[in-house]
Amino acid sequence: MFRSVARSAAGKNLLRRGYATAVPERKVAVLGAAGGIGQPLALLMKLNPLVSQLALYDIANTPGVAADVSHINSRSEVAGYVGEEQLGKALEGCDVVIIPAGVPRKPGMTRDDLFNINAGIVKGLCSAIAKYCPNALVNMISNPVNSTVPIAAEVFKKAGTYDERKLFGVTTLDVVRAKTFYAGKAKVNVADVNVPVVGGHAGITILPLFSQATPKANLPEEDIKALTKRTQDGGTEVVEAKAGKGSATLSMAYAGAIFADACLKGLNGVPDVVECSFVQSTVTELPFFASKVRLGKNGVEEVLGLGPLSEYEKEGLESLKPELKSSIEKGIKFANQS
């Protein structure tokens, strides 16, 4: 995606990359643009030739981030917005809104403390989206995604703007990790690898379907189990490597940019754009579930089924359901509190 962007800020070679020759005007907002994920994500979206306007919003420090990335000689015009009074202006006319906003877990902070803070941030931002750009595609990165997506849905329902085709939990980092780890173990070119990842976006709710991975490598079951656990624990691996002083910000920004690019391609009418995402779903009995979805001009065009599963994957699917159900219900309960 980004290599050809660097070669041509004006968007040359777009046709070869699967884009239409006349590229529509598209406004993208990043909410939480001054944070650890937001800053590299802002950079990557600035490099995307499908973006004509890039709105960067946060509660502080956004003017500096906006000034910095605005000097990059690529298509989009950049504007920075700071504080709640400027949020509406950031959102007006948006086609895609990406939400990496939130706080990292700090010493002495419980998981419930973290949930309540980030859930409150998401709730407020989604109320503004419902008011200022109700038709935008919303890409939710803020954790816990298994709960923040249901929170967003409830906020939009109360506002009368909910469209299940336009709300996405970004689980792309799980796919990125699964591809990388599988390629390393199978000794194949990672650029050729595809691995669907289903379920949710935390711990055991992340279920990579290595039985469907391509190119096929026929890895032994112990390797599949080890790859599955590493994919599920990928975030912890990064936190430990950073000695508790950071989390997966750079790889998450990359994954967020990949998914936003897919959404923009879908909006622009590029055919057969398929990515995994946590969406409203009837694939299982749960109201939200991550699986492959076909993207189009209205967001989700089709939620695709799971396909054939190995026995190990079938067990993983049943094991993840109670935890995912609990997380979804926790989000819905929070959203419906006064």
Side-chain angles (χ1 to χ4, degrees):
M1 168 184 168
F2 302 111
R3 192 167 57 237
S4 58
V5 175
R7 279 202 307 269
S8 173
K12 294 174 185 175
N13 304 317
L14 294 184
L15 186 59
R16 190 174 66 199
R17 293 170 57 234
Y19 299 114
T21 47
V23 184
E25 300 282 309
R26 296 293 182 195
K27 181 179 177 181
V28 174
V30 179
L31 308 186
I37 297 169
Q39 290 199 41
L41 180 56
L43 168 64
L44 295 174
M45 295 315 298
K46 177 70 173 110
L47 296 178
N48 191 315
L50 299 184
V51 182
S52 57
Q53 290 183 71
L54 182 59
L56 305 180
Y57 170 82
D58 214 319
I59 56 171
N61 303 321
T62 347
V65 177
D68 197 354
V69 298
S70 72
H71 293 180
I72 294 167
N73 58 322
S74 60
R75 179 191 182 200
S76 56
E77 294 181 3
V78 182
Y81 302 92
V82 62
E84 284 187 28
E85 65 280 1
Q86 295 185 9
L87 178 56
K89 209 166 186 181
L91 291 172
E92 283 173 351
C94 276
D95 297 287
V96 177
V97 179
I98 313 171
I99 310 179
V103 299
R105 192 172 174 190
K106 295 170 183 171
M109 187 183 286
T110 68
R111 289 190 183 277
D112 280 341
D113 291 338
L114 183 66
F115 172 84
N116 288 330
I117 294 169
N118 285 350
I121 291 169
V122 165
K123 191 174 179 181
L125 293 174
C126 288
S127 295
I129 291 168
K131 181 176 180 181
Y132 294 105
C133 57
N135 296 315
L137 304 190
V138 178
N139 294 2
M140 185 68 68
I141 292 174
S142 302
N143 273 320
V145 165
N146 293 350
S147 298
T148 54
V149 168
I151 288 170
E154 292 300 306
V155 171
F156 296 149
K157 285 175 187 175
K158 282 184 182 177
T161 65
Y162 182 54
D163 184 341
E164 68 271 16
R165 300 172 300 174
K166 297 179 184 294
L167 176 60
F168 303 89
V170 179
T171 60
T172 314
L173 182 52
D174 303 324
V175 177
V176 166
R177 285 174 172 149
K179 288 179 178 180
T180 301
F181 303 157
Y182 178 86
K185 183 61 73 173
K187 296 184 170 31
V188 294
N189 184 350
V190 70
D192 299 329
V193 169
N194 195 19
V195 183
V197 181
V198 303
H201 185 55
I204 66 159
T205 70
I206 300 166
L207 182 62
L209 303 182
F210 288 114
S211 70
Q212 298 178 26
T214 55
K216 204 142 188 71
N218 295 315
L219 296 173
E221 187 167 345
E222 58 265 29
D223 285 351
I224 296 298
K225 288 181 177 179
L227 287 171
T228 299
K229 181 157 178 52
R230 190 178 178 200
T231 303
Q232 292 171 339
D233 295 342
T236 302
E237 183 178 318
V238 174
V239 169
E240 289 177 353
K242 292 186 175 182
K245 294 179 180 174
S247 59
T249 52
L250 302 176
S251 52
M252 183 64 249
Y254 169 78
I258 291 291
F259 188 76
D261 180 68
C263 288
L264 290 165
K265 285 181 184 175
L267 288 174
N268 290 353
V270 175
D272 298 318
V273 179
V274 176
E275 293 286 343
C276 292
S277 183
F278 186 67
V279 296
Q280 182 172 311
S281 173
T282 57
V283 166
T284 69
E285 64 273 24
L286 300 174
F288 295 91
F289 198 80
S291 66
K292 290 194 286 189
V293 299
R294 180 171 287 108
L295 300 167
K297 293 186 177 182
N298 296 303
V300 176
E301 295 292 333
E302 183 182 8
V303 178
L304 303 175
L306 299 179
L309 304 181
S310 69
E311 287 304 312
Y312 177 67
E313 290 161 358
K314 287 176 184 176
E315 291 171 12
L317 177 61
E318 293 310 309
S319 296
L320 71 81
K321 286 179 181 177
E323 184 169 321
L324 184 52
K325 182 174 185 281
S326 175
S327 296
I328 292 168
E329 289 173 348
K330 186 175 183 179
I332 292 171
K333 182 180 177 183
F334 180 90
N336 289 316
Q337 291 171 354
S338 57

